[in-house]
Amino acid sequence: ACAVAPALVPADYGRHASMALLDGAPVFAAWDADYGDLVWITGVEAGAPAVTYLDGVPEAPPAADPGGPRGGVVEPGPDRGRYASLAVDGKGRAHVAYYDSDAGHLRYLRQTDDRAGWLPPVVLDADGDVGRYPVIAVDTRSRPRVLYHVVRSRGARAGARLAFTEREQFVDGDWTTLDLVSRAAAAEPVPPGVTPAEPGVMPCMRVGIDGRVHAAWYDGARRRPVLLRGRPGEAFAVAEAQGDFVGDDPLSRYARLAEHDLGRFCDVVYDPQTDETVAVFLDATTDALLMYRGPVDGFGTFEIVDPGGDGQRRLVGADPALALAPDGRPVVVYQDATHNDLLLAARGPDGWTSAPVRLAGRDGAVGFHNSLVLVGDQAVVGTLELRTLADGRGAHRLRVVRSALP
C-alpha cells in the first residue's frame, strides 16, 4: 500500500479575525496569511481549533494528505480572505464578507440552510479596487448588508459603498451597490496595510432593531470620523461627527478636539432607548480612546473611555469592539499597544472602569482583531495572540475568554 503523506498543519490562520456566537459557541472567520485563504475556525474556546478553508485554494494536485486541510494542496492560490467580517442571522446561519486582494473585489459567502456546508462564493463588487475593510451585518429578516471602502473604482473614484439585497434567498443579480460617499481617487494605488488618505476607510456598522444601517468610518483625507444612518430606499444621513468634549481635561488636551486625528479605528452601536448613535474612536493625537454619543447629523458629546498615557507614552484604542449591556451601559474591548494587552471597559454612573482581560497561558502580545459579544452580564471576547518562535516563524493563535463586566 502507498504511504499517505502527512496532513497540512495550519499555522498563521487568525489574521483579520471576526468572531460571532453560533449556538452559544464562539466561531471565527479569518485570513490564513501563509496561504492567502479565507478560513472558518471552530473549537477555539475548547483549545482544539479546527480550520476549514473556504476560499482561495487553487485547483492543484495534493502534496499533503488529501483528507486534511486544503485537501492537501500546498500551493498558494488567489489571495482571498483579508478583512474577513462575520455575522450570524436569526436562523443561525453564518454570513462572511471579505476582500479578494489579488483581484481587488468584494466577495461574500453564506452557510447553507442546514449549516452543513457553504453556498458558492458571490462577487458583490468588481468595479475596480473595491471591497477593502468590509463589515457585514444582517437585519431581522436575515438580509445581509455590507459596508466597505472603495480604493479606486473604474471611474477613478474613492469612498464608501453599501452592498445589499432585499431578499433572504438570492442569487448574484439580486445584489445592489450604493455609493454613500465618493470623491476623485488619488493617482497612486494604495496597497493593503497602508491607510488611504480617502473617505470611507476602516468602517464599522450595525443594523439596528429599527432596520436602519448605523455606521461610521474614517475620512483619511480630513483625518476625522464620519457617521451614517439610514436604510436602502430612503435618504442616508451622512455627517462628520461633531460634539462638545465633556469630562475632566486638566492638561487641556481636548480644547481643540476638532483638529485631532480621530477615528482610524472605530466601532458603533445604536441605542434604541435614546435613538442615538454610540461610537468609539481611536484618537491618534492623544493616543486615547474616545466615545461619541448623539445624533448623526447634529451635535453630540465626546468623552474619554481611556486617556492613554495622559501625556506619557501609552498607546490605547486600536481594534475596539463595542456593545451595550442589558442595562444600556456601553462596554468596549480594545488594545493597549504599549503593554501588548487587551482591556475591557464599561461605563457606569460615575464614569468608565477598565481592567485587563486575563488570558490563561498567555505568552504573546494580545488585543489584535478583537470581537465582543455580551451574554447577560458576561463578555465573550475573541482576540488574536501574536507569538514568534525562536526561528522567527509566527505561531499566532486565536483566543476566547469570558469575563464578568467591570
Side-chain angles (χ1 to χ4, degrees), residues 40-404:
W40 172 253
I41 307 125
T42 60
V44 171
E45 188 172 26
V51 182
T52 302
Y53 287 78
L54 299 180
D55 198 358
V57 180
E59 293 186 6
D65 181 0
R70 294 187 102 234
V73 175
V74 298
E75 297 296 325
D79 188 353
R80 295 172 180 165
R82 291 179 190 248
Y83 314 116
S85 180
L86 169 64
V88 175
D89 65 27
K91 297 183 178 181
R93 301 169 304 186
H95 302 245
V96 184
Y98 55 104
Y99 181 55
D100 182 332
S101 185
D102 284 349
H105 296 166
L106 174 66
R107 293 172 73 90
Y108 163 85
L109 270 176
R110 199 206 80 188
Q111 278 184 319
T112 55
D113 289 345
D114 61 5
R115 302 192 318 202
W118 296 82
L119 298 175
V122 177
V123 177
L124 300 187
D125 196 342
D127 177 32
D129 188 356
V130 296
R132 198 175 295 184
Y133 315 119
V135 58
I136 190 169
V138 292
D139 66 9
T140 56
R141 294 170 58 186
S142 300
R143 299 176 301 181
R145 279 83 175 91
V146 184
L147 177 63
Y148 55 99
H149 176 58
V150 175
V151 180
R152 187 181 181 87
S153 71
R154 290 173 181 165
R157 307 289 292 180
R161 268 185 198 164
L162 183 72
F164 62 94
T165 175
E166 296 301 335
R167 298 174 57 189
E168 178 188 346
Q169 302 293 342
F170 50 82
V171 294
D172 290 23
D174 290 330
W175 287 83
T176 301
T177 60
L178 176 67
D179 282 314
L180 301 172
V181 60
S182 179
R183 299 178 193 163
E188 296 297 323
V190 182
V194 177
T195 304
E198 303 285 4
V201 175
M202 301 176 70
C204 48
M205 178 185 67
R206 303 292 172 89
V207 175
I209 60 173
D210 57 355
R212 293 179 294 182
V213 171
H214 303 266
W217 61 69
Y218 179 62
D219 186 325
R222 292 181 51 77
R223 302 192 303 173
R224 298 294 298 172
V226 175
L227 302 172
L228 174 141
R229 178 187 290 194
R231 59 167 61 88
E234 300 179 4
F236 281 86
V238 183
E240 188 173 293
Q242 299 184 67
D244 293 319
F245 177 82
V246 296
D248 295 333
D249 184 20
L251 300 179
S252 299
R253 297 200 301 164
Y254 297 95
R256 303 173 71 175
L257 179 59
E259 299 176 10
H260 285 204
D261 183 349
L262 183 64
R264 191 166 305 189
F265 290 93
C266 74
D267 201 10
V268 64
V269 294
Y270 169 64
D271 187 344
Q273 297 181 5
T274 61
D275 191 33
E276 290 179 318
T277 294
V278 182
V280 288
F281 300 110
L282 169 69
D283 187 334
T285 300
T286 59
D287 301 324
L289 183 65
L290 305 187
M291 185 185 80
Y292 170 86
R293 176 184 282 274
V296 167
D297 51 357
F299 220 66
T301 59
F302 287 94
E303 63 180 75
I304 296 173
V305 175
D306 188 323
D310 253 344
Q312 305 298 316
R313 189 65 176 171
R314 177 170 168 261
L315 311 178
V316 302
D319 285 344
L322 175 67
L324 294 182
D327 59 4
R329 289 186 300 150
V331 180
V332 59
V333 293
Y334 56 99
Q335 186 185 53
D336 179 340
T338 300
H339 299 102
N340 294 321
D341 218 342
L342 177 65
L343 303 181
L344 173 67
R347 197 190 193 293
D350 298 322
W352 287 89
T353 301
S354 66
V357 176
R358 302 301 178 187
L359 292 165
R362 170 189 160 186
D363 56 7
V366 295
F368 301 90
H369 311 304
N370 303 314
S371 299
L372 171 66
V373 180
L374 299 187
V375 181
D377 61 355
Q378 186 180 65
V380 183
V381 180
T383 191
L384 179 67
E385 179 182 359
L386 297 186
R387 303 181 300 164
T388 304
L389 301 177
D391 61 5
R393 291 182 298 122
H396 316 315
R397 58 180 175 175
L398 291 169
R399 304 294 301 272
V400 172
V401 63
R402 296 177 186 258
S403 177

